[in-house]
Amino acid sequence: MQFRLTFPVTPPDAAIRYEDPLLLMGSCFTEEIGRLLQAHQFNTQLNPHGILYNPVSITQALHAYLDGKVYTEADLFEQDGLWHSWDHHSRFSSPDAAQALASINAAQAAACERIDQLEWVVITLGSAFAYQLRDNGKLVGNCHKVPAGAFYKKLLTPDEVISALDNAIHRLWFRNRRVKILFTISPVRYVRDGVVENNMSKAVLIQAVHHMVNKFDHLYYFPAYELVLDDLRDYRFFKDDLVHPNDTAIQYVWEQFTRHFLTPESQELLGRIAEINRARQHRPFHAESAAHRKFLQRYAVTAKALQQQYPYLSLAEDIRYFEQGS
């Protein structure tokens, strides 16, 4: 008997290489996959604006990188003793306006510098619901726990999402013709909007993304949403809140992603990096034993050889760890 509906994941015609500069943007699911990419030594910049959910805010962030925007105190507002930016996640917020600006502009400068080197932009869309300030109509990336009465809530239409993505991608290609875009839809279920409303939101995103992917070359889709909601399709693959995929689900999506969207050479290197990561996580019963020192010496040699063979990796910290322990 068959108890799961599986489906083939279509690989892109241009797979990701280890040395490719990547930019990941979007919802909290982006953070999960992005941290795994960083942990395995991919050349990854993750959410320079912090977590963003709606496609218009994501594309506005891209425009900011293309424009080389420098944020000023005029871009901040104060709420409950903290300075925030409507364009950024609350991880940039601070009791000190200067500190908030310094953090924002440091991430902004790094993203601006990276635009011309990018090979891939991975965009994870979370929700088609967006919030606009009542006083000036500005669409915000984060509400920062400001009372709901300060906002209008709207469901973006497919045409609005398509227009926002189309404009940003054309500007990006004008600067960097080789960059490729990989879209995903977050499998996180935003039930605070309502179950029916969440499905309406995801439907808008799916329609818009597939319109874009079918319209242009160098645009691709990875079915993270479908892998969790249609393949795994069970609440045991969600956290206790029943909306966020748990570690097992994330690992399953990660395995599908690396199997189908990385070059064969990168998949092989990924396995070697994963072995080094496991070695670092190993906790011996007797750290001073000769056997453990020999174990560390072996992995110091392995890490040095990998660093020499692949200069774009950053294994210096791993090498120090193994050498100091041995």
Side-chain angles (χ1 to χ4, degrees):
M1 298 179 67
Q2 184 176 352
F3 294 98
R4 281 175 56 220
L5 178 63
T6 59
F7 58 90
V9 176
T10 304
D13 55 23
I16 297 171
R17 303 171 301 170
Y18 240 99
E19 62 270 30
D20 287 344
L22 310 176
L23 171 63
L24 274 71
M25 302 178 65
S27 81
C28 49
F29 190 73
T30 298
E31 299 272 312
E32 301 284 4
I33 298 302
R35 281 194 287 265
L36 285 168
L37 285 165
Q38 290 177 332
H40 289 87
Q41 295 288 332
F42 282 86
N43 185 0
T44 305
Q45 186 176 32
L46 177 59
N47 267 340
H49 267 58
I51 297 169
L52 299 172
Y53 299 96
N54 77 78
V56 173
S57 291
I58 293 169
T59 56
Q60 286 175 346
L62 264 177
H63 286 299
Y65 309 148
L66 291 163
D67 292 336
K69 178 178 173 66
V70 177
Y71 287 84
T72 68
E73 195 164 329
D75 296 304
L76 303 182
F77 72 97
E78 190 270 339
Q79 171 78 15
D80 295 332
L82 293 175
W83 289 91
H84 309 276
S85 162
W86 289 121
D87 295 336
H88 292 77
H89 187 260
S90 56
R91 79 180 190 204
F92 292 99
S93 301
S94 172
D96 179 52
Q99 180 57 53
L101 277 177
S103 299
I104 286 169
N105 282 321
Q108 176 75 7
C112 294
E113 183 179 356
R114 196 176 185 83
I115 284 289
D116 294 320
Q117 287 79 46
L118 285 173
E119 293 288 342
W120 288 88
V121 176
V122 182
I123 297 174
T124 301
L125 303 180
S127 175
F129 281 104
Y131 293 83
Q132 289 179 297
L133 290 170
R134 287 180 180 269
D135 60 358
N136 62 13
K138 177 179 174 61
L139 191 145
V140 304
N142 195 294
C143 294
H144 298 294
K145 298 183 180 180
V146 172
F151 305 98
Y152 294 111
K153 180 180 179 181
K154 64 175 293 186
L155 179 65
L156 299 170
T157 67
D159 284 344
E160 287 175 311
V161 177
I162 289 167
S163 177
L165 294 174
D166 198 305
N167 289 337
I169 288 169
H170 273 92
R171 283 200 67 199
L172 182 58
W173 278 340
F174 187 79
R175 277 278 295 275
N176 181 345
R177 285 299 306 171
R178 68 181 178 279
V179 70
K180 299 166 281 291
I181 316 292
L182 176 59
F183 288 107
T184 68
I185 305 295
S186 170
V188 176
R189 303 164 67 242
Y190 298 104
V191 295
R192 286 180 298 179
D193 294 321
V195 173
V196 173
E197 290 79 2
N198 172 72
N199 289 340
M200 292 167 55
S201 165
K202 299 294 188 185
V204 169
L205 300 179
I206 291 168
Q207 180 180 351
V209 163
H210 284 285
H211 174 90
M212 295 295 295
V213 170
N214 292 331
K215 182 178 179 181
F216 295 109
D217 293 332
H218 308 306
L219 269 61
Y220 306 96
Y221 181 71
F222 172 69
Y225 177 83
E226 292 81 2
L227 286 168
V228 175
L229 274 298
D230 293 309
D231 182 346
L232 298 181
R233 198 177 177 84
D234 193 309
Y235 278 111
R236 66 195 167 109
F237 295 110
F238 285 81
K239 296 179 180 178
D240 290 344
D241 62 8
L242 303 182
V243 299
H244 288 85
N246 63 17
D247 291 344
T248 302
I250 291 166
Q251 185 62 33
Y252 180 69
V253 172
W254 169 252
E255 289 172 359
Q256 294 292 320
F257 174 74
T258 57
R259 183 182 308 160
H260 297 288
F261 278 71
L262 301 185
T263 64
E265 297 78 11
S266 294
Q267 292 179 45
E268 190 272 337
L269 179 54
L270 175 70
R272 298 169 71 182
I273 297 296
E275 182 182 356
I276 288 176
N277 289 346
R278 287 192 296 270
R280 281 203 61 169
Q281 294 163 6
H282 175 67
R283 295 295 177 263
F285 287 113
H286 303 288
E288 302 303 320
S289 67
H292 183 60
R293 288 198 299 273
K294 185 176 180 181
F295 171 87
L296 294 174
Q297 289 167 0
R298 182 170 76 250
Y299 277 100
V301 171
T302 300
K304 284 181 178 178
L306 272 179
Q307 182 68 84
Q308 185 173 6
Q309 186 176 359
Y310 303 101
Y312 49 81
L313 297 177
S314 299
L315 298 175
E317 185 179 337
D318 299 284
I319 293 168
R320 280 196 300 271
Y321 173 83
F322 293 125
E323 288 186 333
Q324 289 172 0
S326 62

